[in-house]
Amino acid sequence: MTDSVYPPSEDSYLLRDAAVGEVRRDDTVLEVGTGSGFVAKALADEARTVVATDISNEAVRAARERGVSAVRTDLVAALDARFDLVIFNPPYLPDDDTTPDDAMADALGGGETGREVAERFLDTVPRVLAPDGRILLVTSSLSGVEAFEEREGYEAERVASERYFFEEVVVLRMRPTP
Amino acid sequence: MKKDLMELLCCPVCKGELELDATREEDGEVVEGTLYCEDCDETYAVDDGIPDLLPPEAR
């Protein structure tokens, strides 16, 4: 793995555990922004199909080396299917003046608010979600959890959370409101 | 990529169907090839088994 791919970290383990608890045997699963492929790989034997995307060339290569079916695309742009479960651990650190312009910065940074990539995801994901499809989204107190819980068009529920020394990471289960 | 992944893929720009042309296959997987969108007249690569579906301006 190169140093431009986000390595499995505390939030990866939190999402993995939440996703393993959420997934059903006959689900078709999509992981967006898979990074190293660590979470997608953990779901491979738990679901009917698992597909992963990432915008980073290094990331999709790392994921494929783990045996994950990987597609290089922006969020869900090149997918045309109805997924039962879509999971995403988005970049959520608010950018600041010191943010470098490189691949690792893309893996961490979520624009000025820290929510921009996740917001774009929520805008586009309904197109590829099955009628009863669920979303697991990783959020952080650093960029705001409530903004997602109160977001128009979705209902959200906290399914996992963990406090690290400078932030609380929360996994939300979300569904578009009918 | 396995060929049945094609059922889940579309053109990232127009969401139309993609046509697979596999130039190298190993163990039932497409290792090298192209994905072509007729509507956009755009070709995307399958490289080392990974479909690269970034639009031309994002590459």
Side-chain angles (χ1 to χ4, degrees):
Chain A
M1 202 181 302
T2 69
D3 59 6
S4 61
V5 177
Y6 188 69
S9 306
E10 287 91 343
D11 51 355
S12 317
Y13 303 126
L14 191 67
L15 177 59
R16 176 198 59 192
D17 294 346
V20 167
E22 176 67 28
V23 72
R24 299 172 193 155
R25 227 353 105 185
D26 56 352
D27 276 354
T28 299
V29 180
L30 170 65
E31 184 178 24
V32 173
T34 192
S36 68
F38 168 77
V39 179
K41 179 65 181 173
L43 296 176
D45 295 332
E46 312 287 330
R48 184 204 303 266
T49 305
V50 179
V51 179
T53 70
D54 206 290
I55 198 164
S56 151
N57 189 39
E58 291 80 9
V60 285
R61 282 166 192 273
R64 181 170 159 83
E65 272 173 32
R66 270 188 209 265
V68 171
S69 180
V71 179
R72 187 181 189 202
T73 192
D74 178 29
L75 301 175
V76 302
L79 291 164
D80 183 21
R82 297 289 172 265
F83 291 93
D84 303 295
L85 179 62
V86 180
I87 65 175
F88 187 25
N89 181 4
Y92 56 67
L93 295 183
D95 291 344
D96 63 28
D97 295 344
T98 64
T99 303
D101 183 18
D102 63 20
M104 186 49 97
D106 287 346
L108 298 173
E112 272 178 43
T113 62
R115 296 192 297 274
E116 285 171 25
V117 180
E119 290 286 352
R120 211 158 53 77
F121 165 76
L122 291 172
D123 285 342
T124 52
V125 72
R127 187 179 61 81
V128 297
L129 209 53
D132 287 324
R134 303 97 72 202
I135 296 162
L136 291 183
L137 180 71
V138 177
T139 61
S140 164
S141 56
L142 293 177
S143 56
V145 179
E146 292 78 12
F148 294 108
E149 289 180 300
E150 292 158 10
R151 193 182 193 279
E152 207 166 312
Y154 283 93
E155 54 189 35
E157 177 188 355
R158 295 184 182 220
V159 291
S161 69
E162 193 143 333
R163 189 166 287 284
Y164 305 111
F165 56 103
F166 61 99
E167 64 174 327
E168 184 183 21
V169 176
V170 177
V171 181
L172 296 178
R173 185 205 285 124
M174 302 180 73
R175 293 166 187 267
T177 45
Chain B
M1 60 173 274
K2 294 200 172 68
K3 278 188 178 165
D4 58 10
L5 183 62
M6 289 303 296
E7 292 166 25
L8 307 181
L9 297 182
C10 66
C11 170
V13 179
C14 76
K15 314 301 177 194
E17 236 175 84
L18 294 166
E19 195 180 307
L20 171 67
D21 180 14
T23 52
R24 192 157 72 85
E25 294 184 44
E26 270 171 32
D27 308 325
E29 291 208 27
V30 179
V31 181
E32 304 291 337
T34 55
L35 296 164
Y36 177 66
C37 175
E38 194 176 333
D39 287 348
C40 299
D41 191 26
E42 191 60 58
T43 302
Y44 300 91
V46 179
D47 185 27
D48 285 342
I50 301 167
D52 187 340
L53 289 161
L54 283 197
E57 69 272 11
R59 285 174 201 158

